[in-house]
Amino acid sequence: MSDDAAAPDALTNKSVVKAARLLRELASQPRSGATATTLAKAVGVSRPTVFRLLQSLEHTGLVDRVDNNYTLGWELARLGRFADPYTGMVSRAKPLLQDLADRFNESVTLSVPTPQDGIELVAEAYGSHVVGVMHQGMIGEHYPLHASSTGKVFLADLPPERARALLPERLEAYTEQTITDRVQLLRELDRVREQGYSIIDNELEEGLLSLSRPVHDPSGVLIAILTLNGPRYRLSRDRIPGALQQMQETVERLRSSLWDEQA
């Protein structure tokens, strides 16, 4: 078997995978950084191994060290400016989105948080009879945070005080069912946070039912939101439990595609 034809697992360098896990864990730590001992416990790797990896990452500028605390490095920040933030994720997500869309014959989207405290749609897939309520070609769209299931998942993932600060005093009504009272919306976000998903029914568009689930990285950071949309006459409320289960399976498959957490 040639190198090109070798199985992906056979070509995976486990030291590189462990180093990537360290970088992700550092991203979730305070800006002051973390010690090798703290990082070793967080990623489940022995301290001597973590220390050797950190030494190599520091040597290449991918991490920095102040006293005994490690942080993400200057070279990592420089390289990040040249990377497309979505291409790799979208290419891995598209087949999974299409599979879910085909199962329900509805529309499925993947959105990501933006640095401007918003969310942006970066990938979409459609069943064969998607017409009317949702329109194709919505890549780049930004949804209202308070009136979309995607937005509610995003807000619920934030610290409550941060979510409250992002909400204007007067919330725009898109339909008669849109929640426009901030106190009521904050209670709704508590429910979303507790149950791990969001549902909107006639809140953004008349006749639209949407379900959203968060996608977190191995460190618990929200990196994307999976949403299933459909008209209420097809995606009825009695289909919600099964849809949420299928969506969770898609989330787990996406996480497995993006990160090999067992390596």
Side-chain angles (χ1 to χ4, degrees), residues 11-67:
L11 297 175
T12 300
N13 186 301
K14 292 188 176 181
S15 292
V16 174
V17 173
K18 290 174 182 176
R21 289 166 60 188
L22 284 175
L23 293 174
R24 287 199 300 268
E25 181 59 32
L26 279 173
S28 72
Q29 295 289 333
R31 286 185 176 270
S32 57
T35 65
T37 299
T38 298
L39 294 169
K41 290 180 180 178
V43 301
V45 177
S46 69
R47 187 184 182 283
T49 298
V50 166
F51 186 74
R52 287 196 299 272
L53 291 171
L54 289 171
Q55 289 289 306
S56 297
L57 291 170
E58 182 184 2
H59 181 72
T60 56
L62 297 178
V63 304
D64 292 327
R65 177 169 58 89
V66 178
D67 297 327

Side-chain angles (χ1 to χ4, degrees), residues 197-214:
Y197 60 83
S198 174
I199 302 172
I200 65 162
D201 189 354
N202 284 322
E203 295 178 49
L204 180 60
E205 295 182 27
E206 293 288 350
L208 174 66
L209 183 73
S210 292
L211 316 175
S212 291
R213 279 194 175 278

Side-chain angles (χ1 to χ4, degrees), residues 6-261:
D9 287 348
L11 297 175
T12 300
N13 186 301
K14 292 188 176 181
S15 292
V16 174
V17 173
K18 290 174 182 176
R21 289 166 60 188
L22 284 175
L23 293 174
R24 287 199 300 268
E25 181 59 32
L26 279 173
S28 72
Q29 295 289 333
R31 286 185 176 270
S32 57
T35 65
T37 299
T38 298
L39 294 169
K41 290 180 180 178
V43 301
V45 177
S46 69
R47 187 184 182 283
T49 298
V50 166
F51 186 74
R52 287 196 299 272
L53 291 171
L54 289 171
Q55 289 289 306
S56 297
L57 291 170
E58 182 184 2
H59 181 72
T60 56
L62 297 178
V63 304
D64 292 327
R65 177 169 58 89
V66 178
D67 297 327
N68 291 322
N69 279 357
Y70 293 88
T71 62
L72 294 178
W74 60 270
E75 176 66 0
L76 189 64
R78 186 185 73 83
L79 293 174
R81 292 197 293 269
F82 296 96
D84 186 296
Y86 307 133
T87 299
M89 177 192 295
V90 169
S91 65
R92 298 185 187 199
K94 279 287 284 184
L96 304 181
L97 301 187
Q98 191 61 58
D99 182 60
L100 185 63
D102 290 341
R103 284 174 181 266
F104 289 89
N105 219 355
E106 302 295 353
S107 67
V108 176
T109 63
L110 192 73
S111 301
V112 298
T114 69
Q116 296 77 35
D117 286 325
I119 44 178
E120 180 178 344
L121 192 155
V122 296
E124 56 192 347
Y126 296 91
S128 61
H129 64 202
V130 174
V131 294
V133 178
M134 291 296 294
H135 305 285
Q136 299 195 25
M138 297 184 70
I139 297 297
E141 287 290 324
H142 299 262
Y143 293 124
L145 297 181
H146 70 286
S148 63
S149 60
T150 306
K152 289 182 183 180
V153 165
F154 171 75
L155 290 171
D157 196 80
L158 297 173
E161 63 277 8
R162 181 59 186 154
R164 189 178 296 110
L166 289 178
L167 295 171
E169 288 297 328
R170 300 188 63 180
L171 303 176
E172 182 179 354
Y174 291 86
T175 72
E176 292 184 357
Q177 302 301 317
T178 304
I179 298 176
T180 57
D181 180 88
R182 293 174 86 247
V183 174
Q184 182 183 353
L185 180 63
L186 291 170
R187 287 198 297 264
E188 171 81 359
L189 296 181
D190 287 338
R191 286 192 291 272
V192 172
R193 195 176 296 114
E194 180 178 351
Q195 64 197 16
Y197 60 83
S198 174
I199 302 172
I200 65 162
D201 189 354
N202 284 322
E203 295 178 49
L204 180 60
E205 295 182 27
E206 293 288 350
L208 174 66
L209 183 73
S210 292
L211 316 175
S212 291
R213 279 194 175 278
V215 181
H216 294 99
D217 73 9
S219 299
V221 176
L222 180 71
I223 58 98
I225 301 166
L226 176 70
T227 300
L228 175 66
N229 307 288
R232 295 180 81 251
Y233 69 86
R234 283 200 312 255
L235 189 59
S236 55
R237 294 193 71 88
D238 62 345
R239 299 184 70 191
I240 288 177
L244 288 171
Q245 178 61 38
Q246 290 289 335
M247 290 176 69
Q248 183 58 31
E249 292 176 9
T250 300
V251 167
E252 292 167 2
R253 290 172 64 196
L254 181 57
R255 283 171 54 90
S256 178
S257 175
L258 293 173
W259 303 286
D260 181 359
E261 298 177 55

